[in-house]
Amino acid sequence: MEQTLKITNVLADPTRYYIYQHIVNNHGDVSVQEIADSFNIHPNVARLHLSKLEDIDMLTSNSRKTGKGGRPSRLYRLSDKVIQLHFPYRNYQLLAKIAVQSMMTLGEQGKQALYETGKVFGEELNQQLALNSTSIDRLAFAEKVNMLKNAATIAGLSPEIQASEEENKISFRIFNCPFKEVTEVEPGTICSMHNSFLKGMFEALFENVNIVEIENMMSNCAACSYQASVLT
């Protein structure tokens, strides 16, 4: 309860909360001065906000030499630790691990069921976003890419997308894996399910989708990266 009160107290400050969101969207390290400039606050105030977020394990930091002499600069980034608040207490990670391990006892049928479920969920997510818009078939390439990014953001993937309509290619990077803790149970299976989830999102918008995985954060990469070839 003491830790819960500490977390809620830290996040109750709007500026501090928006600083955290800024770092989430930044996909990299930030300095005290960068935060001070971005939020138009004094560096000492920025340092206080960052320190409080680090105190509750939402951020981590390290010192790095700037090459300009003087004291090393302290850089902050997202922590790998998961902070969860449930009232009353719930443990959905444990439920997910039990479910995955149970599916694995079914062998290939269990794996196939996980893949298909991931794909269907990805398709449904995009279709929900399209309910109040023009038919997907009539959307321009840029509109489809934007819908893809919105769906990935809602799914908590913290995406970064670059697209080329001339080449019909989309570079897709994911900086947050919502299944990261569960993936440790069965890395190959969960990553394959996640890939099916992504393919479902793409196929709900584009035809003849071919997705190639370039990097995987489970291999100590900064993000999961994909290259997709599509037809509108």
Side-chain angles (χ1 to χ4, degrees):
M1 181 57 71
E2 182 178 345
Q3 181 65 7
T4 297
L5 290 173
K6 190 174 181 179
I7 292 170
T8 54
N9 181 59
V10 169
L11 294 180
D13 186 290
T15 300
R16 199 171 298 143
Y17 177 80
Y18 288 125
I19 286 174
Y20 177 75
Q21 286 299 318
H22 174 83
I23 297 173
V24 168
N25 296 328
N26 185 69
H27 305 316
D29 296 345
V30 298
S31 67
V32 170
Q33 191 60 54
E34 288 174 40
I35 294 300
D37 293 341
S38 297
F39 289 86
N40 194 29
I41 55 180
H42 192 278
N44 288 342
V45 177
R47 184 177 292 105
L48 176 63
H49 285 311
L50 292 167
S51 297
K52 286 186 174 295
L53 288 168
E54 186 174 22
D55 286 344
I56 60 171
D57 293 326
M58 294 187 75
L59 299 181
T60 185
S61 69
N62 67 297
S63 296
R64 189 177 303 172
K65 292 184 178 180
T66 62
K68 300 179 181 179
R71 296 174 58 187
S73 175
R74 180 157 293 275
L75 299 178
Y76 294 81
R77 62 183 178 278
L78 295 182
S79 170
D80 287 332
K81 295 184 179 180
V82 179
I83 306 299
Q84 298 186 86
L85 298 177
H86 296 290
F87 300 97
Y89 177 74
R90 299 288 188 269
N91 192 337
Y92 294 112
Q93 282 187 21
L94 176 60
L95 174 62
K97 288 181 180 180
I98 293 172
V100 170
Q101 288 174 335
S102 298
M103 293 297 287
M104 289 300 94
T105 63
L106 299 177
E108 289 303 318
Q109 287 184 328
K111 290 182 180 181
Q112 188 62 33
L114 282 172
Y115 303 156
E116 291 176 358
T117 300
K119 184 175 178 179
V120 169
F121 188 80
E123 291 173 343
E124 289 178 348
L125 188 56
N126 263 333
Q127 290 169 357
Q128 288 171 10
L129 289 176
L131 283 179
N132 298 320
S133 68
T134 308
S135 170
I136 290 178
D137 294 336
R138 297 181 181 180
L139 293 175
F141 181 85
E143 292 175 313
K144 291 182 179 182
V145 171
N146 188 58
M147 184 177 290
L148 180 67
K149 184 175 182 178
N150 288 340
T153 300
I154 290 173
L157 303 182
S158 190
E160 182 179 275
I161 299 177
Q162 295 180 334
S164 171
E165 184 171 2
E166 293 75 16
E167 299 179 356
N168 286 325
K169 289 186 177 180
I170 300 174
S171 296
F172 193 87
R173 302 186 75 196
I174 294 171
F175 289 87
N176 180 53
C177 176
F179 317 120
K180 190 172 182 179
E181 284 69 36
V182 184
T183 302
E184 296 173 358
V185 176
E186 188 71 31
T189 299
I190 301 302
C191 285
S192 294
M193 184 203 73
H194 194 196
N195 290 346
S196 293
F197 174 87
L198 293 176
K199 189 173 182 181
M201 291 174 62
F202 274 85
E203 290 184 346
L205 296 168
F206 302 97
E207 296 180 5
N208 299 324
V209 177
N210 181 43
I211 302 177
V212 177
E213 183 180 274
I214 308 299
E215 295 178 315
N216 190 309
M217 65 176 67
M218 298 306 294
S219 300
N220 295 321
C221 295
C224 291
S225 303
Y226 306 85
Q227 183 74 44
S229 299
V230 301
L231 290 179
T232 55

